[in-house]
Amino acid sequence: GGKGAAESEDARVKERSKEEERTAVAESRRWREEAVVREKGRAEALAMERQRHSAILQREHEEEAQRQRLRRLVEHREAVAGAKKRAEVAVAVGEKRQAVKGREGALRAEEAREGSKHRRVMAELREAYKSARHEVVVDMAALRLSRKQLHASKERALLGASVPQATQLAQENAVGMLEKRVHGAKERQRAIEHQMYLEGSV
């Protein structure tokens, strides 16, 4: 009976090595799947980061353009005030008769010029104000949405659901960035309002 025992021992060994092979295959498949999931999560976080970065650059570019517009308006305002003074000085210096005629002509021309410049400046300011106002509204809406998403993630995590660290981090960053953006847009809106007030009281 020694031969039968040896054969069944042999079969057992074969069965065991088959079992180990199956386990190894399953392990490696599971490992591969996990690696794919991990990789996908990393890629998504990276894409979000890139998207946010380009949004920031775009916003900075718009803000710079708006700053330059305001600077041009201030320079124009100073130029108008200078021209007014020069006209008045010229009028005061001339002979009396000449002065009277010259003064009326110079002031009329100056007023006409100033009137049309002032209208153009006010139109530009109104346009800038409208776009800043729109920015505030859009950014506030985006901020509300981001806060809601972050809140939902935190609640899910509290309830024991698995929320990837990268997702929560990206949401927190988005909220922070939008808060800064809303603040900046409100500041710009206030600056333009002030400029409109000044222009109105020229």
Side-chain angles (χ1 to χ4, degrees), residues 23-200:
T23 303
V25 166
E27 284 268 324
S28 107
R29 185 187 299 124
R30 199 176 72 242
W31 185 85
R32 265 203 313 275
E33 283 167 358
E34 280 172 4
V36 165
V37 168
R38 263 200 311 275
E39 200 43 58
K40 196 170 161 214
R42 250 202 308 273
E44 279 172 2
L46 202 66
M48 268 172 93
E49 193 55 52
R50 248 193 232 111
Q51 210 175 348
R52 210 167 52 248
H53 185 63
S54 85
I56 289 173
L57 286 181
Q58 170 70 17
R59 183 50 53 104
E60 280 171 358
H61 172 70
E62 285 166 11
E63 284 171 4
E64 183 50 38
Q66 204 150 21
R67 268 197 296 275
Q68 287 187 359
R69 267 205 300 281
L70 273 175
R71 204 175 304 125
R72 276 201 304 278
L73 289 172
V74 170
E75 283 166 4
H76 155 73
R77 210 167 162 257
E78 287 165 358
V80 166
K84 204 172 178 180
K85 263 204 185 59
R86 278 196 301 281
E88 284 166 2
V89 167
V91 161
V93 167
E95 297 170 26
K96 269 226 164 65
R97 202 180 62 240
Q98 204 50 46
V100 170
K101 274 165 73 181
R103 174 188 224 124
E104 286 170 356
L107 282 179
R108 262 202 303 277
E110 188 60 40
E111 274 165 12
R113 263 201 306 281
E114 225 179 295
S116 78
K117 269 183 187 161
H118 183 254
R119 277 193 298 277
R120 197 167 62 240
V121 168
M122 283 306 277
E124 268 193 46
L125 277 172
R126 269 195 295 272
E127 213 39 63
Y129 179 77
K130 236 183 352 209
S131 100
R133 178 98 197 85
H134 176 69
E135 228 169 84
V136 170
V137 171
V138 169
D139 287 347
M140 283 295 290
L143 177 58
R144 274 196 297 273
L145 184 65
S146 288
R147 279 184 180 148
K148 217 179 266 173
Q149 287 172 340
L150 178 59
H151 183 65
S153 292
K154 283 184 171 164
E155 282 204 329
R156 285 216 313 283
L158 280 177
L159 295 171
S162 97
V163 177
Q165 188 77 39
T167 302
Q168 206 167 324
L169 201 63
Q171 287 172 342
E172 278 168 10
N173 285 346
V175 166
M177 185 190 80
L178 284 164
E179 279 171 350
K180 269 215 251 350
R181 247 167 48 185
V182 166
H183 179 72
K186 281 182 173 169
E187 286 287 292
R188 275 197 304 288
Q189 191 183 326
R190 269 197 293 277
I192 295 168
E193 269 171 4
H194 181 62
Q195 192 67 28
M196 283 169 89
Y197 168 74
L198 290 179
E199 282 299 334

Side-chain angles (χ1 to χ4, degrees), residues 12-26:
R12 257 204 308 281
V13 167
K14 268 203 188 108
E15 191 48 53
R16 206 174 22 245
S17 81
K18 253 200 214 120
E19 189 55 51
E20 281 167 3
E21 202 177 314
R22 271 200 296 276
T23 303
V25 166

